[in-house]
Amino acid sequence: MNQNELIQPVWESDTSFGGLSSVEAAERLRVDGPNALSSGQRRTWFVIMLDTAREPMFLLLFAAGTLYLIFGELLEGLILFGFVLMVLGLTLYQEGKTERAIEALRDLTSPRALVIRDGERMRIAGREVVRGDWVLLAEGDRVPADGVLVSGNNVQIDESLLTGEAMSVGKVVAVGEAARVRPGGSDTPFVYSGTLVVAGQGIARITATGAHSEIGRIGTALGTLEVACSPLQKQTARLIRAIALLALGMSLTLVLAYGLLSGDWLQALLSGIALAMAMLPEEYPVVLAVFPALGAWRLAKANVLTRRVAAIETLGATSVLCVDKTGTLTENRMTVARLYAENEYLEINYEPVTKLPEHFHALIEFSILASEIDPFDPMELAFARLGQHFLANTEHLHGDWTLMRQYSLTPQLRAKSQIWMSVASDAYVVAAKGAPETIVDLCHLDTVAQTKIKAAVDTMAIDGLRVLAVARAQYVGTEFPVMEHDFDFEFVGLLGLADPLRTEIPEAVRQCFDAGIRVVMITGDYPATARAIARQAGLDADNILSGDELVAMDDKELQAHVKTVNICARIAPEQKLRIVQALKANGEIVAMTGDGVNDAPALKASHVGIAMGGRGTDVAREASSLVLLDDNFTSIVHAMRLGRRIFDNLQKSMSYILAVHVPIAGMAMLPVLLGFPPMLYPVHIAFLQLIIDPVCSLAFENEQEEDDVMCRPPRDPDAELFGGATLWLALLQGIGVLVIVGGAYIWANEWLIDSEARAFAFTTLVIANLALIFANRSRSRTLRVLLRAHNPILWIVAGATLGFLALSLYLPFLANLFRFAPLPLHELLTAFGLGLASIVWFQFVKRMRPETGINRAYNRGASDDQTN
């Protein structure tokens, strides 16, 4: 085996590397199944039904229906069982929609794999990899399935997931049919699913997928999502537990009081069940399941994949957004725009008739020799395009040379060198490219030459060009040096690459400023280049923090410095972690973008790590909370807008749930305690529940964003979702409805028969319920605007509610079941008017005090409460 076999990517010249055809791959996927292990998370319809049957509300409805049957009330019992089926059907619909959203996200979160099919490279979901696929592996990739290495270049793999050994192992290219060995050994050709490529690149032929892989046989369930309770879930659990205990105590008290006072224990039990049903906030868990799942689905439609649901909570609180320049703010479409060699500049014109002066040929030649044979990096691709355009069919392109050794770029030496064996000389040819100051150091230039080169670099950087330097050397010997400094490098020249700013960036940056989000650009480019791009983007570029300055600072100095700096230039990936930690120490909520292996610590340390889905490594994606599928800055801004909308709507939904339960619980208990006939029975609660459930989980989730969603500062991350002024405002709404409905029932009992009084008060309660829904749709928009706002789910629920209310009032069969008497038109209109009046005061408050009143209660009320 010679060195060429270890390094040369043979698939370009070997037709056997054409890969499977799409038809063959589809057939093998059908036979072998997807390349995935069972996650144990998928919930079937049957499992959802069992979970629903254990819910308190379902059990209470079932108990009430059973009591009716036991005491001979066949019709009432059957109707309640009908409600049981309706609740079950509604739950199946809601949870089924949630599961479909989660399943779609699960498919998206499957690790991606770069394969060769039909002779073309394509990126597919890891679960679609099949036996016989040719998979391209590079540093930072997770190996998608077991395979054998058929081409490679210094491939090092971390197999600690399978072996527990922290040391990476080297891989060699397979020769013939090698005997399969267990993971952990060095110098074997076998790669295993789930292991991590830490260095080099290669091509593997897949031999086993899914449960047939090594990790499948061991039984490790990769990809299983660790479910941990978020702060919001913990807070809500405490609220539910408190209300549930209160409901239990009050229901038992009501049963005993009513039973002892009246002697009618059947009615006492039914009243107690009705009160328990009225008080139990069983909608909260549903909301907490539906909103994040559908929110993540909405984010995915906006090209942002949610890997950790808790990140949705944090998006609305983000105060600092740290972003890479290349590919996020810019188009990542590198083009060589200017050359510098022998003290002369050359603007590149790609017109076919353009001739390239001879003394620039070596600069292009050695930039290509210092790049990968099959380049993937945008800059190396730009060099290859430049060479094909100007040097095609010349002696400066060397497809017949053999790559002997690579010296990779490191944080200590920002340059990459490659040693080639020439076909026309006994001496090895060495090509290096990298940061200008590093190449200058490798060339050991005198002060005068260094000054000239630095001036040329600054001139190109001021114009926003990314500048790389190129050097060359020759080497004679059999043992290659350990360090690049041992070569006698000669400086060749500079290349200036243009990467245009995305046209939509200035507007997106302005939206961040309006939303109180500080944008910090972090780049490895020269400060002058960074300043030019920052000004185009609309960022304040007066203060710049360089990597060298950062190294000289202690943590306290860095914390003070990052308070005013928006541009960080010449930053190494590992320095991002210190920047994130400094911002966090200042109390900022930090979102950070990254794509490389070395970005993973910073992504993990930030509150919201955002990995690049297009050019990012698997390691970066696994360390992140969100994955940007299109690598576009505007998608991040859109995600923050959606995050704020999701949190707003979640808050509105929970406010409505609490507000609507106050009058329902009150009217289930107070008439009995005050000596009036019971107003609400389980059948009435079940009817109201059919309104509340779809509204709180689906209608509010579908609500449009507030007009000021990106014109207010980030929310306080320590503030509770549902506390302080927000909680009291919801209680006040509910009490207002309770006062009106209670007054209506008392008045009706003085003038109307029991069944008519119950129908009158219940109609008032239903209309007040609908009024509460509309009142909580927006913090600032008036009722007239809300009536025109698009939300089809809400209108369907409202229309169905009014239709069923009319049937229950005027259809004799249902009227008897609900213990109603038909209402004359004037009483019906009066009930409608009272129901609307119960919440009209809230609209007047919004209209009169749009900023200092309701909005403050929603936006900052909880945080105000935290400081008291």
Side-chain angles (χ1 to χ4, degrees), residues 701-719:
E701 193 282 329
N702 196 47
E703 195 60 51
Q704 296 178 9
E705 64 195 37
E706 295 286 335
D707 295 334
D708 68 339
V709 69
M710 291 296 281
C711 297
R712 48 178 137 103
R715 64 177 180 82
D716 183 352
D718 296 324

Side-chain angles (χ1 to χ4, degrees), residues 650-662:
L650 185 59
Q651 193 176 54
K652 295 172 190 176
S653 176
M654 299 183 81
S655 296
Y656 161 74
I657 291 169
L658 181 62
V660 79
H661 274 281
V662 171

Side-chain angles (χ1 to χ4, degrees), residues 605-627:
S606 63
H607 295 94
V608 182
I610 306 172
M612 301 296 106
R615 68 180 190 276
T617 61
D618 286 344
V619 173
R621 284 191 282 268
E622 289 171 9
S624 67
S625 305
L626 304 174
V627 177

Side-chain angles (χ1 to χ4, degrees), residues 63 96 552 657 728 842:
I657 291 169
W728 287 109
F842 185 71

Side-chain angles (χ1 to χ4, degrees), residues 40-55 88 91-92 95-96 99:
Q41 294 183 348
R42 194 171 288 104
R43 298 176 72 215
T44 63
W45 292 105
F46 181 72
V47 172
I48 295 174
M49 288 176 63
L50 287 180
D51 289 344
T52 304
R54 290 193 289 263
E55 290 292 329
L88 180 61
T91 304
L92 286 174
E95 300 237 359
E99 283 299 312

Side-chain angles (χ1 to χ4, degrees), residues 136-159:
L136 282 72
L137 302 174
E139 179 181 334
D141 287 348
R142 284 279 179 197
V143 180
D146 288 5
V148 60
L149 198 67
V150 295
S151 171
N153 175 6
N154 189 32
V155 177
Q156 298 282 324
I157 293 186
D158 177 1
E159 296 182 347

Side-chain angles (χ1 to χ4, degrees), residues 501-759:
L501 191 77
R502 296 178 187 265
T503 56
E504 64 272 20
I505 293 301
E507 173 60 22
V509 169
R510 186 194 63 77
Q511 290 180 28
C512 287
F513 289 160
D514 291 344
I517 301 168
R518 183 156 67 101
V519 179
V520 177
M521 186 181 83
I522 301 177
T523 178
D525 282 346
Y526 262 81
T529 304
R531 180 178 279 114
I533 295 296
R535 285 174 174 164
Q536 293 177 36
L539 294 172
D540 179 6
D542 291 338
N543 295 326
I544 294 181
L545 172 67
S546 72
D548 292 338
E549 292 171 338
L550 187 150
V551 169
M553 294 179 183
D554 61 26
D555 291 342
K556 291 294 183 184
E557 290 175 319
L558 183 58
Q559 288 171 30
H561 211 73
V562 296
K563 289 180 179 179
T564 57
V565 167
N566 294 326
I567 310 300
C568 300
R570 229 61 184 136
I571 299 296
E574 61 273 11
Q575 291 177 322
K576 291 182 179 180
L577 178 60
R578 285 197 66 196
I579 295 173
V580 170
Q581 291 171 331
L583 289 167
K584 289 172 66 176
N586 290 337
E588 305 285 2
I589 303 300
V590 184
M592 163 70 77
T593 68
D595 56 6
V597 175
N598 292 333
D599 291 333
L603 291 171
K604 194 78 172 179
S606 63
H607 295 94
V608 182
I610 306 172
M612 301 296 106
R615 68 180 190 276
T617 61
D618 286 344
V619 173
R621 284 191 282 268
E622 289 171 9
S624 67
S625 305
L626 304 174
V627 177
L628 206 59
L629 298 179
D630 61 357
D631 297 358
N632 195 331
F633 177 79
T634 55
S635 295
I636 303 176
V637 179
H638 190 47
M640 291 183 168
R641 177 185 292 272
L642 275 174
R644 292 188 176 197
R645 167 187 165 177
I646 292 165
F647 194 88
D648 285 353
N649 289 344
L650 185 59
Q651 193 176 54
K652 295 172 190 176
S653 176
M654 299 183 81
S655 296
Y656 161 74
I657 291 169
L658 181 62
V660 79
H661 274 281
V662 171
I664 295 174
M667 295 311 297
M669 179 179 63
L670 291 178
V672 175
L673 296 180
L674 296 177
F676 289 97
M679 175 190 158
L680 297 178
Y681 288 97
V683 67
H684 301 109
I685 306 295
F687 171 68
L688 292 169
Q689 205 65 41
L690 292 176
I691 305 172
I692 297 170
D693 277 357
V695 166
C696 70
S697 60
L698 297 179
F700 275 114
E701 193 282 329
N702 196 47
E703 195 60 51
Q704 296 178 9
E705 64 195 37
E706 295 286 335
D707 295 334
D708 68 339
V709 69
M710 291 296 281
C711 297
R712 48 178 137 103
R715 64 177 180 82
D716 183 352
D718 296 324
E720 295 183 349
L721 166 71
F722 202 51
T726 307
L727 177 66
W728 287 109
L729 186 63
L731 287 172
L732 189 61
Q733 287 180 329
I735 291 170
V737 173
L738 176 60
V739 169
I740 295 293
V741 175
Y745 191 55
I746 293 172
W747 173 86
N749 269 284
E750 291 290 328
W751 300 99
L752 306 174
I753 60 175
D754 288 353
S755 56
E756 194 171 349
R758 183 176 294 107

Side-chain angles (χ1 to χ4, degrees), residues 22 34 49 86 94 108 123 125 128 239 315 318 363 410 432 515 518 529 619 627 642 661 672 724:
S22 299
M49 288 176 63
M86 292 176 69
Q94 291 174 228
L108 284 174
R123 194 169 292 278
E128 297 175 5
L239 178 65
L315 274 174
T318 299
L363 177 58
T410 66
R518 183 156 67 101
T529 304
V619 173
V627 177
L642 275 174
H661 274 281
V672 175

